[in-house]
Amino acid sequence: MYETKDKKPSVVIKNATFITSAARAEQFIQPNKPMIAVCGKSNVGKSSFINMLANQKKLAKTSSEPGRTRLVNYFDFGEFILADLPGYGFARVSKGEKEKWAKTLDAFFRDKARIAHVFMLVDSRHDPTADDAQMIEFLHYHTLPFTVTLTKADKLSRMKLKEHIRAISADLYLGQENLLATSAETGYGKEEVLQKIRAIIDTANAPCFIEEEEEE
């Protein structure tokens, strides 16, 4: 099979490692390379998504119990830092715990100059929740660049997946081209995500040129 000339390059991830966890704003790290955040509702498959990108099975700890990730977990992916954010929208936690998670997320996104991009994960099998819609509004409000990434695409037939992509894009008022469908089980969509990350890194590392007006 021949590669097309317009095939976009993708980032190569060789040895992703865990850095640290942060529970409070003062513990957030200040990376010297692009930082990409991963967010989504509890049990959407964030850990599996991260492990897929890292080509590892246990880099990010997965759990059958939703709501286990209550910290911001940082990983070094070579050319970029990945920040795994606490899952939102889990019903079986106290109001106080939800407020604590919300404050953590708000504090993290407040320093938006350090965030190169956000991958917002949504379960491809279900309609977006009110919490998902609220997160979209939050990202728009703070003008944070993001991509909606659909997880667990292997659970749907190809036709059903296309139908759900159309429905989810309509629910979130986004173009279908702004959604990437993935499966941590099969690796479906992984290459497209890696290509997107390459573009994000290149943009973040591009020098800023200040155009000066020519004197007459």
Side-chain angles (χ1 to χ4, degrees):
M1 183 175 180
Y2 296 96
E3 292 186 1
T4 58
K5 291 183 179 180
D6 59 350
K7 181 177 175 63
K8 298 178 181 178
S10 58
V11 68
V12 177
I13 299 170
K14 294 182 179 180
N15 186 29
T17 57
F18 172 74
I19 302 173
T20 189
S21 297
R24 302 183 301 277
E26 56 268 26
Q27 296 175 331
F28 294 164
I29 69 172
Q30 308 296 322
N32 57 3
K33 46 189 170 183
M35 182 166 64
I36 296 173
V38 176
C39 69
K41 68 188 294 285
S42 295
N43 211 30
V44 74
K46 288 193 291 95
S47 296
S48 296
F49 175 77
I50 293 169
N51 289 335
M52 177 186 71
L53 296 182
N55 296 311
Q56 298 183 37
K57 293 183 178 181
K58 297 181 180 179
L59 178 64
K61 295 181 179 179
T62 59
S63 174
S64 58
E65 180 184 345
R68 286 292 296 275
T69 304
R70 305 183 183 188
L71 307 170
V72 176
N73 293 312
Y74 293 97
F75 302 89
D76 188 339
F77 270 67
E79 292 188 65
F80 67 99
I81 299 297
L82 187 146
D84 178 20
L85 305 181
Y88 55 80
F90 184 50
R92 295 206 316 262
V93 297
S94 67
K95 181 180 179 181
E97 191 71 27
K98 288 183 180 179
E99 291 175 351
K100 182 180 178 181
W101 294 355
K103 288 180 180 178
T104 300
L105 288 172
D106 186 61
F108 179 86
F109 285 123
R110 195 177 301 138
D111 193 9
K112 64 181 182 180
R114 296 187 182 277
I115 304 170
H117 203 82
V118 179
F119 282 105
M120 178 184 158
L121 273 53
V122 175
D123 193 322
S124 65
R125 302 170 298 175
H126 308 300
D127 294 335
T129 65
D131 291 308
D132 291 326
Q134 186 175 18
M135 177 57 73
I136 290 284
E137 290 179 9
F138 181 90
L139 295 171
H140 278 308
Y141 179 80
H142 290 282
T143 61
L144 286 160
F146 69 92
T147 300
V148 172
T149 308
L150 307 182
T151 61
K152 308 179 183 180
D154 60 290
K155 307 298 183 183
L156 298 170
S157 67
R158 182 171 296 185
M159 183 175 295
K160 277 292 184 183
L161 179 60
K162 288 182 178 180
E163 292 177 2
H164 283 220
I165 289 174
R166 286 196 296 268
I168 292 171
S169 66
D171 286 343
L172 297 178
Y173 300 100
L174 296 171
Q176 292 183 43
E177 67 277 5
N178 294 322
L179 277 66
L180 292 177
T182 66
S183 167
E185 283 290 323
T186 66
Y188 178 84
K190 177 181 177 180
E191 184 64 21
E192 286 73 16
V193 175
L194 292 177
Q195 290 173 3
K196 180 66 177 180
I197 292 174
R198 166 53 64 201
I200 293 166
I201 293 171
D202 289 348
T203 299
N205 289 334
C208 296
F209 296 98
I210 301 176
E211 296 183 0
E212 297 181 353
E213 294 183 359
E214 295 183 359
E215 296 181 2
E216 295 183 356

